[in-house]
């Protein structure tokens, strides 16, 4: 791998870089050590977002760099995964056979592994067509990797079949933001604006566990006299810090937001001048909320009318205000409409497009923002361009040195892609490259997704560790990690930051960029260097990304590694080198064609699966502090595993008494998709009609065995946050 200029920026106290995990992208320094773990994490107080503070995941991030903790060689299987089970049942001598003959993964050279992948993809393409080879990316990949992966799919594989795990993350907020404002950027302002607003409503977000260093901003808001309102079915550690906690039934946020707007209108708190000057569509939205009077909203949401009034008055009367959503209201089959309703509340009260006011989404993965801008999304080309837009196709095709006609069209969304794996006929995807995701644990209706993955002709997984998905692969490619490679990430504020290489990778490991270059060459795409090629030097790839994004919504043309280093990151859009970047969006106009924000004419509808006699309880899912996502990384870190060793079912004492389960006893949770068992954790912090499970674990306690893959019609986000279950003492 080529060393970049920025990589050389080490100092006496270590290399300035960022955490490998969440979208806060906390600044940290990495100092070399003499031990098996080659660097140690140090504070970096000069980085403004976290000012030196790190959560336990960041503090322990270096543990996975040790050779013993991760993959260090490619792995291949001599018998395809899809054939193993057949042999299992009919070959009684199998148990005595060698691991290779049993179809287990064995170490291989890079040559062998890459040849297997390229020839396997080519064979599937030959037999079933280009769209039968799929790509599944991740929001943890750097901008350079996400860009190169999208380009690899479109011009090396020539497939339309590419999507990524960000579809499971904030796609509903992205869709609603684009509809309302004309552009989607998680936060339209820096985090540092939060303490300056008068009233903030935090909807279905638990930053105390998911972004601890950001809690400071909410604390400062209250110290400055502002009001914090938290909407969550659980009294989380975040909710405990709020002035007002609304505790709705899962899946009812849409009714709640409409009810608040109803009260705003009824109590004459609408900012009529703002509505007239800067928005469109108010009358339709107003007509839709008329049916959401407070008593009806109380019946749907379980939030008492008095609390609804209190929240509406705080927000309506405040001079400035913000609404921030995270996965609670977004991961619903009506997530786009729900976020639209919360945006309506901001628009009606004049709390958008003004200093210290606005709607924002707390993105989740390290590059949740950038990962959705540069082309690993099914419908998208770099710079947040639409793949169906002829001008966008022409621009990107010119950068890639191909004919616009050659670019595939829009493909299918993440769950639809996973659900089509191995299916017969022209819709079936027969081979898949997974880079940066572990869907065996994190996808909805996960048992079915695992079966689909097993039915592929060829499953290729690039990962740092042998994740549950990698365990099903025919070929596993060991990737370098954050501290071993350079690249940019875009944090939840739209701030493009630079991760720097701080240490060498073990000798058997290669970067994802190198893998894509090697595969592209084997597949007959152009070689490295120059337009249309696949380079493995991140700074060279970033230079091409800048050109590809130029003129698009997410315009990175003026951002360089040098500038990022000198300026604590640069906010997009940044169309030219002399442009200062854009920390705050929409102050002058929204990004819609007429410059006005659009109200969403939305009405409440129930969740795809409501409780009934057979499945009387709501299940919702989410996160705990010490584990990250599918747990592939954090479950392998001793300190984190000790802090959060396994799954659990959170339930209210009254529900526990009804079911007859004591704290710590195994409890079975059953949905229409499957059954899991995990210890009961009894707490009065949760609604008595709801149970909560974290989704970080595989095996018998895997929450996603239960979840419902009902999709939002616009964003195609699965309904992770609500389904119906019954409880059984097992
Ligand atoms: N420790 C840790 N931190 C992380 C991650 C991690 O895995 N672990 N992942 C990162 C990523 S990718 C993401 S996306 C973010 C997610 O960050 P958050 O969105 O803060 O995390 P979640 O726990 O998924 O959901 C937040 C809250 O939504 C509530 N909730 C559940 N159902 C509903 C509902 O119907 N309505 C409302 N209003 N609330 C509901 C849950 O009780 C939960 O407290 O965290 C990032 N940070
Ligand atoms: N029930 C339920 N399910 C959920 C959610 C929920 O709230 N409830 N949340 C959803 C959300 S918001 C998200 S974001 C998804 C996330 O779910 P996943 O997509 O499974 O996310 P991770 O566990 O982060 O998986 C990333 C994988 O890529 C590897 N990896 C990390 N960096 C790199 C890299 O640079 N290159 C390569 N090749 N590999 C890398 C890691 O080791 C890991 O195995 O889960 C979703 N699933
Ligand atoms: S809050 Fe997020 S970025 Fe910061 S240290 Fe923790 S996991 Fe890393
Ligand atoms: Mo996420």
């Amino acid at each position: 791998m080529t060393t970049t200029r920025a990589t050389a920026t080490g100092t006496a106290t270590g290399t300035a870089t960022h955490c490998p995990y969440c979208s806060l992208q906390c600044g940290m320094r990495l100092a070399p050590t003499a031990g098996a773990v080659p660097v140690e994490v140090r504070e970096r107080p000069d980085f403004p977002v976290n000012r030196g503070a790190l959560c336990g995941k960041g503090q322990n991030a270096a543990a996975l760099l040790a050779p013993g903790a991760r993959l260090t060689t490619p792995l291949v299987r001599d018998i395809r995964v899809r054939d193993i089970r057949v042999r299992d049942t009919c070959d009684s001598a199998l148990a005595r056979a060698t691991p290779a003959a049993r179809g287990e993964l064995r170490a291989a050279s890079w040559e062998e592994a890459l040849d297997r992948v390229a020839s396997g993809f080519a064979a599937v393409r030959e037999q079933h067509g280009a769209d039968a080879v799929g790509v599944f990316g991740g929001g943890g990949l750097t901008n350079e990797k996400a860009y190169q992966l999208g380009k690899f799919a479109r011009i090396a594989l020539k497939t339309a079949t590419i999507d990524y795990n960000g579809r499971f993350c904030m796609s509903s907020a992205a869709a609603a933001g684009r509809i309302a404002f004309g552009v989607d950027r998680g936060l339209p302002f820096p985090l540092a604006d939060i303490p300056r607003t008068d009233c903030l409503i935090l909807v279905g977000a638990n930053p105390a566990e998911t972004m601890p260093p950001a809690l400071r901003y909410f604390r400062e808001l209250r110290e400055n006299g502002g009001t914090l309102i938290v909407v969550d079915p659980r009294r989380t550690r975040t909710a405990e810090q709020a002035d007002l906690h609304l505790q709705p039934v899962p899946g009812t946020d849409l009714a709640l937001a409409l009810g608040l707007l109803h009260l705003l209108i009824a109590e004459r708190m609408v900012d009529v001048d703002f509505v007239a000057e800067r928005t469109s569509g108010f009358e339709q939205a107003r007509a839709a909320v008329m049916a959401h009077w407070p008593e009806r909203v109380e019946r749907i949401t379980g939030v008492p009318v008095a609390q609804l009034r209190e929240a509406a008055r705080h927000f309506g009367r405040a001079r400035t205000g913000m609404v921030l959503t995270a996965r609670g209201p977004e991961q619903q089959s009506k997530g786009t409409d729900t976020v639209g309703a919360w945006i309506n509340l901001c628009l009606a009260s004049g709390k958008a497009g003004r200093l210290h006011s606005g709607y924002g989404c707390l993105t989740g993965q390290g590059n949740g923002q950038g990962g959705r801008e540069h082309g690993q999304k099914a419908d998208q080309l770099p710079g947040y361009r639409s793949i169906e837009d002829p001008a966008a196709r022409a621009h990107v095709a010119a950068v890639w040195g191909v004919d616009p006609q050659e670019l595939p069209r829009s493909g299918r969304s993440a769950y639809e892609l996973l659900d089509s794996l191995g299916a017969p006929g022209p819709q079936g995807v027969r081979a898949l490259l997974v880079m940066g995701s572990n869907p065996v644990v994190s996808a909805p209706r996960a048992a079915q997704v695992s079966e689909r993955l097993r039915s592929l002709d060829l499953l290729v997984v690039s990962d740092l560790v042998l994740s549950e998905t990698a365990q099903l692969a025919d070929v596993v490619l060991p990737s370098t990690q954050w501290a071993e490679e350079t690249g940019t990430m875009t944090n939840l504020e739209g701030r493009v930051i630079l991760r720097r290489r701080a240490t060498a990778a073990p000798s058997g490991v290669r970067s994802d960029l190198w893998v894509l270059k090697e595969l592209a060459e084997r597949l007959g795409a152009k070689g490295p260097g120059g337009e249309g090629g696949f380079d493995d030097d991140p700074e060279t790839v970033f230079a091409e990304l800048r050109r590809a994004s130029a003129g698009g919504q997410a315009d990175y043309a003026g951002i360089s590694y040098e500038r990022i280093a000198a300026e604590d990151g640069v906010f997009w859009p940044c169309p030219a080198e002399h442009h200062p970047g854009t920390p705050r969006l929409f102050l002058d106009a929204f990004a819609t064609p007429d410059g006005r924000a659009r109200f969403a004419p939305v009405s409440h509808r129930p969740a795809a699966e409501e409780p009934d006699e057979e499945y009387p309880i709501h299940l919702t899912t989410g996160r705990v502090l010490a584990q990250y996502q599918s747990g592939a990384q954090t479950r392998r870190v001793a300190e984190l595993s000790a802090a959060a060793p396994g799954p659990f079912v959170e339930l209210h004492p009254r529900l526990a008494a009804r079911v007859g389960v004591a704290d710590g006893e195994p409890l079975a949770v059953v949905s229409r998709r499957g059954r899991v068992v995990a210890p009961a954790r009894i707490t009065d912090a949760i609604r008595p009609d709801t149970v909560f499970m974290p989704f970080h674990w595989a095996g018998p306690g895997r929450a996603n065995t239960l979840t419902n893959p009902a999709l939002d019609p616009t964003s195609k986000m699965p309904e992770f946050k609500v389904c119906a279950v019954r409880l059984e003492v097992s």
Side-chain angles (χ1 to χ4, degrees):
M1 206 173 67
T2 323
T3 307
T4 66
R5 282 189 295 282
T7 307
T9 318
T11 71
T13 52
T15 305
T17 189
H18 297 267
C19 174
Y21 296 115
C22 87
S23 61
L24 213 51
Q25 283 302 289
C26 292
M28 57 168 61
R29 286 184 178 277
L30 296 180
T33 70
V37 178
V39 290
E40 64 181 28
V41 172
R42 300 233 175 115
E43 279 190 10
R44 185 183 164 193
D46 56 327
F47 186 66
V49 174
N50 63 309
R51 293 192 216 150
L54 297 170
C55 79
K57 298 186 294 302
Q59 281 160 2
N60 291 292
L64 271 189
L65 297 167
R70 43 95 67 93
L71 294 166
T72 49
T73 176
L75 304 171
V76 300
R77 215 185 282 279
D78 294 315
I79 299 168
R80 290 189 306 189
V81 160
R82 53 177 291 180
D83 299 329
I84 290 174
R85 296 220 306 188
V86 180
R87 287 194 51 138
D88 259 347
T89 48
C90 61
D91 188 347
S92 57
L94 197 65
R96 293 191 304 276
T98 61
R102 283 203 302 266
E104 288 169 20
L105 287 163
R106 63 162 172 84
S109 69
W110 274 99
E111 282 305 305
E112 182 186 2
L114 292 170
D115 287 347
R116 260 296 270 289
V117 177
S119 62
F121 284 170
V124 167
R125 182 162 74 187
E126 180 81 5
Q127 214 186 332
H128 303 281
D131 291 347
V133 182
V135 174
F136 199 87
L141 302 178
T142 60
N143 288 314
E144 291 80 353
K145 293 182 185 190
Y147 169 82
Q148 202 76 322
L149 191 62
K151 175 177 167 181
F152 175 79
R154 271 61 173 249
I155 71 174
L157 294 173
K158 304 183 196 305
T159 180
T161 312
I162 174 169
D163 211 51
Y164 81 124
N165 68 7
R167 189 72 71 171
F168 297 163
C169 191
M170 59 312 102
S171 58
S172 293
R178 293 196 91 196
I179 295 168
F181 306 127
V183 70
D184 149 45
R185 195 179 88 184
L187 296 181
F189 40 69
L191 282 166
D193 279 6
I194 287 177
R196 320 271 289 274
T197 198
D198 293 334
C199 180
L200 190 145
I201 310 183
L202 195 54
V203 191
N206 186 13
E209 309 240 10
T210 55
M211 293 170 199
L215 264 198
R216 166 169 64 86
Y217 296 103
F218 300 99
R219 250 196 325 270
E220 287 172 9
L221 161 93
R222 296 194 63 224
E223 284 162 12
N224 292 345
T227 306
L228 177 64
I229 301 173
V230 169
V231 182
D232 196 306
R234 302 184 303 139
R235 193 178 65 247
T236 59
R237 285 203 260 160
T238 308
E240 277 168 2
Q241 312 216 2
D243 297 285
L244 179 60
H245 173 208
L246 310 183
Q247 208 167 353
V249 175
T252 64
D253 301 80
L254 179 50
L256 184 68
L258 293 167
L260 294 179
L261 181 54
H262 182 105
L263 284 166
L264 222 69
I265 295 170
E267 302 199 4
R268 302 192 179 288
M269 292 185 286
V270 172
D271 185 336
V272 285
D273 293 340
F274 180 88
V275 169
E277 283 160 27
R278 300 210 44 197
T279 72
S280 62
F282 179 61
E283 282 311 318
Q284 275 170 292
R286 178 195 170 96
V289 302
M290 283 305 113
H292 296 82
W293 58 90
E295 292 72 18
R296 178 172 176 229
V297 170
E298 175 179 318
R299 272 201 307 280
I300 298 172
T301 63
V303 178
V305 170
Q307 286 189 0
L308 293 171
R309 284 193 200 286
E310 198 183 341
R313 285 179 188 158
H314 273 304
F315 194 71
R317 289 179 184 159
R319 202 178 48 82
T320 54
M322 294 176 178
V323 172
L324 301 183
T325 64
R327 302 308 81 79
E330 298 168 16
Q331 290 175 327
Q332 300 185 15
S333 60
K334 53 179 177 294
T336 306
D337 285 359
T338 301
V339 172
W342 286 104
I343 292 175
N344 284 354
L345 193 69
C346 292
L347 295 178
S349 57
K351 294 184 175 71
R354 285 174 167 172
L355 195 59
H356 306 148
S357 281
Y359 163 78
C361 149
L362 298 170
T363 65
Q365 297 181 82
N367 200 22
Q369 183 65 47
R372 72 191 196 240
E373 296 164 358
H374 298 298
Q376 54 175 336
K377 219 170 165 182
D379 49 358
Q380 206 190 57
L381 291 172
Y384 225 129
R385 289 185 157 89
S386 163
I387 201 165
E388 298 296 341
D389 170 8
R393 294 170 68 84
H395 174 86
V396 174
V399 175
W400 289 350
V402 299
D403 188 321
Q405 303 284 348
E406 285 177 38
L407 294 181
R409 297 276 162 181
S410 191
R412 58 203 104 176
S413 73
Y415 182 75
E416 293 169 312
L417 195 169
L418 294 173
D419 200 38
S420 67
L421 300 180
Q427 288 304 310
V429 175
R430 313 290 322 173
L432 185 72
L433 169 64
V434 178
M435 188 173 273
S437 182
N438 185 15
V440 167
V441 178
S442 58
R445 202 185 185 186
Q448 159 116 346
V449 167
S450 302
E451 282 312 303
R452 294 279 187 209
L453 286 162
R454 278 179 187 279
S455 72
L456 286 167
D457 293 354
L458 178 65
L459 175 62
V460 182
V461 175
S462 167
D463 207 303
L464 332 169
V465 294
L466 195 63
S467 71
E468 286 73 14
T469 307
Q471 285 166 33
L472 297 185
D474 300 291
V475 182
V476 180
L477 306 173
S479 170
T480 47
Q481 299 186 40
W482 107 110
E484 299 158 350
E485 54 187 25
T486 293
T488 61
M489 309 282 284
T490 306
N491 85 345
L492 75 174
E493 307 166 287
R495 182 197 301 258
V496 184
I497 54 101
L498 184 63
R499 281 190 189 163
R500 294 183 179 85
R501 184 168 187 256
T503 182
S507 61
V509 169
R510 299 285 184 279
S511 76
D512 291 320
L513 290 180
W514 182 85
V515 165
L516 294 174
K517 180 188 85 159
E518 291 290 320
L519 289 177
E521 280 171 13
R522 282 170 172 76
L523 288 161
K526 285 189 218 164
E531 310 285 56
F534 286 82
D535 210 293
D536 65 342
D537 170 46
E539 199 163 4
T540 306
V541 176
F542 189 72
E544 189 184 301
L545 180 160
R546 290 170 62 182
R547 288 195 297 282
S549 76
Q553 286 198 328
D555 191 333
Y556 284 41
I559 306 177
S560 64
Y561 282 16
E562 288 74 16
R563 269 193 76 175
I564 298 174
E567 300 173 30
D568 287 333
V570 181
F571 291 78
W572 70 259
C574 180
E577 282 183 5
H578 60 266
H579 187 284
T582 316
R584 296 184 182 86
L585 294 170
F586 315 139
L587 293 185
D588 301 322
F590 295 98
T592 51
D594 64 2
R596 288 165 178 267
R598 302 184 193 110
F599 277 91
V602 292
S603 290
H604 182 68
R605 58 180 190 272
E609 191 178 72
E610 290 283 340
D612 56 17
E613 259 177 40
E614 217 182 329
Y615 300 97
I617 303 293
H618 296 278
L619 167 73
T620 191
T621 60
R623 294 158 166 82
V624 299
L625 176 60
Q627 296 290 348
Y628 190 70
Q629 312 278 62
S630 72
Q633 291 163 275
T634 47
R635 279 185 271 123
R636 290 177 163 80
V637 177
E639 287 79 357
L640 301 176
S641 256
F648 56 85
V649 186
E650 195 176 286
L651 79 169
H652 192 275
R654 287 213 295 279
L655 181 56
R658 226 167 67 214
V659 180
V661 70
D663 195 55
E665 277 180 8
L667 181 62
V669 185
V670 188
S671 81
R672 288 183 177 82
R673 272 76 48 201
R675 174 193 173 94
V676 306
V677 180
R681 185 177 288 187
I682 298 175
T683 166
D684 67 2
I686 188 165
R687 296 180 54 90
D689 56 7
T690 301
V691 296
F692 167 86
M693 288 190 75
F695 77 100
H696 309 293
W697 288 273
R702 177 177 64 184
N704 275 320
T705 302
L706 303 168
T707 47
N708 185 3
L711 301 184
D712 178 285
T714 308
S715 67
K716 309 289 182 183
M717 161 71 88
E719 192 147 62
F720 288 117
K721 283 296 188 269
V722 51
C723 72
V725 295
R726 68 165 177 268
L727 306 178
E728 290 169 1
V729 177
S730 64

